[in-house]
Every structure is written in C-alpha cells, then in structure tokens.
Amino acid sequence: MENMQLAAGLAGEMVAHAVQWVSEGSAGPFLAYLGKGDTRVTLVDLAQDGPESPLDYGRGLMIVRSAARAVIVYDGTISNVEGGHYDALIGEVYEFEHCDGAFDVLVPYRPRSESQSFGVYGLILEDQASEPVDEEILDAFLDGTRRDADVGKFWRQHQLR
C-alpha cells in the first residue's frame, strides 16, 4: 500500500500541474515517471507523430524505461450516467516496483469561454474495477496536489462548488 501511496502522490502533483496547464489551453498528453532508484521525476511529452497513439507510446515507454511508478495525463472527455459529456483531465496511475497496482484519476472541468471562467468539478479516483480507491490513496493524492503551493492554490481557487 505504501508504494501505491507514493504513486498517488506523484499523480497528485502532476495532475495539479495539468489543471493549471489546461486552464491556459493545453495539457498533455504527458508521462511523468520515476525509475527504480530515481529521486527526480522524468517528464515526457507524448504528443508525437507516428503510427502509435500517444497513450500507447507512453505505456510502452514506461516498460522500456523500467518505471517504478508513473502517471500518464491527457485531456479527454467523460460522460455521466445521464449521458452528459464533460471535458476532463484523465490520469492513468501505475505502481510497478512492488505491487503492480493501478488506478485512474478523473478531473472534470469547465473550459474558459467568453461567458464563463475556467473551473474544476469534483475529483474522481477509481481502481480498475471502477470502485473508489482507499482513503489512504486519496489522501496521498491530495497531499501530492499541494507539493507545489502555487498549482495547488490555483486548483483550489478554481474549484466549482
């Protein structure tokens, strides 16, 4: 569980940055990972031309680079049970070093327009069975969002109630 918490912290930090970037018009796709024994996060821009999708490229790169934990973040769309669609930042979070776990982060947002300001809706963290993650994972993610005080503050200021 401790390593999943480390992966969640990395995801929180990277998704918080993506919230600010998407408010400015662009967020990803990108891969952030820590290799086994690394102390610094490596960021990889996944926007590339080629036969492979950026997400498949990023997933393969995690394996080639022997990532201990990683998060792929991209701008996408999600739908709710009523069939409504929302712009959302989507994060795929992976822990490879000890438990080979994974979970997804969904951050629906309202894009800036002439009539409305940018805003972030509620946060969703769910495991591979679409069930909410454990409270410890959520807490570690939220701690990660506060690692960079400026981006954490930006997210909180744009949270829609």
Side-chain angles (χ1 to χ4, degrees), residues 14-31 44-47 54-55 72-76 87-91 107 109 118:
M14 294 299 110
V15 170
H17 280 284
V19 165
Q20 187 167 18
W21 296 334
V22 79
S23 78
E24 297 165 356
S26 176
F30 69 90
L31 165 67
V44 179
D45 180 359
L46 298 178
L55 300 179
I72 295 177
V73 180
Y74 55 97
D75 194 4
D87 290 316
L89 287 169
I90 302 168
V107 183
Y109 68 89
F118 173 79

Side-chain angles (χ1 to χ4, degrees), residues 31 44-46 48 52-62 65:
L31 165 67
V44 179
D45 180 359
L46 298 178
Q48 43 92 28
E52 203 170 20
S53 79
L55 300 179
D56 288 340
Y57 173 68
R59 292 177 190 122
L61 195 58
M62 288 185 293
R65 301 260 177 101

Side-chain angles (χ1 to χ4, degrees), residues 3 6 33-42 65-70 95-98:
N3 289 309
L6 293 172
Y33 72 92
L34 280 161
K36 295 177 177 120
D38 286 351
T39 57
R40 292 179 47 113
V41 174
T42 299
R65 301 260 177 101
S66 298
R69 60 194 55 90
E95 171 20 74
F96 297 111
E97 192 166 24
H98 295 287

Side-chain angles (χ1 to χ4, degrees), residues 9-152:
L10 172 64
E13 182 177 7
M14 294 299 110
V15 170
H17 280 284
V19 165
Q20 187 167 18
W21 296 334
V22 79
S23 78
E24 297 165 356
S26 176
F30 69 90
L31 165 67
Y33 72 92
L34 280 161
K36 295 177 177 120
D38 286 351
T39 57
R40 292 179 47 113
V41 174
T42 299
L43 286 174
V44 179
D45 180 359
L46 298 178
Q48 43 92 28
D49 292 326
E52 203 170 20
S53 79
L55 300 179
D56 288 340
Y57 173 68
R59 292 177 190 122
L61 195 58
M62 288 185 293
I63 295 165
V64 168
R65 301 260 177 101
S66 298
R69 60 194 55 90
V71 60
I72 295 177
V73 180
Y74 55 97
D75 194 4
T77 305
I78 60 172
S79 56
N80 61 16
V81 293
E82 291 86 30
H85 298 282
Y86 295 92
D87 290 316
L89 287 169
I90 302 168
E92 298 176 7
V93 185
Y94 300 93
E95 171 20 74
F96 297 111
E97 192 166 24
H98 295 287
C99 66
D100 289 336
F103 66 92
D104 294 323
V105 177
L106 307 170
V107 183
Y109 68 89
R110 179 181 68 201
R112 182 183 326 257
S113 70
E114 297 221 4
S115 61
Q116 296 180 325
S117 63
F118 173 79
V120 179
Y121 298 105
L123 170 68
I124 303 164
L125 274 71
E126 56 188 26
D127 65 19
Q128 299 300 290
S130 297
E131 295 294 324
V133 297
D134 293 336
E135 187 117 353
E136 295 85 10
I137 301 299
L138 175 60
D139 290 343
F141 179 88
L142 294 173
D143 286 346
T145 67
R146 294 185 280 273
R147 285 186 191 157
D148 181 316
D150 291 335
V151 296

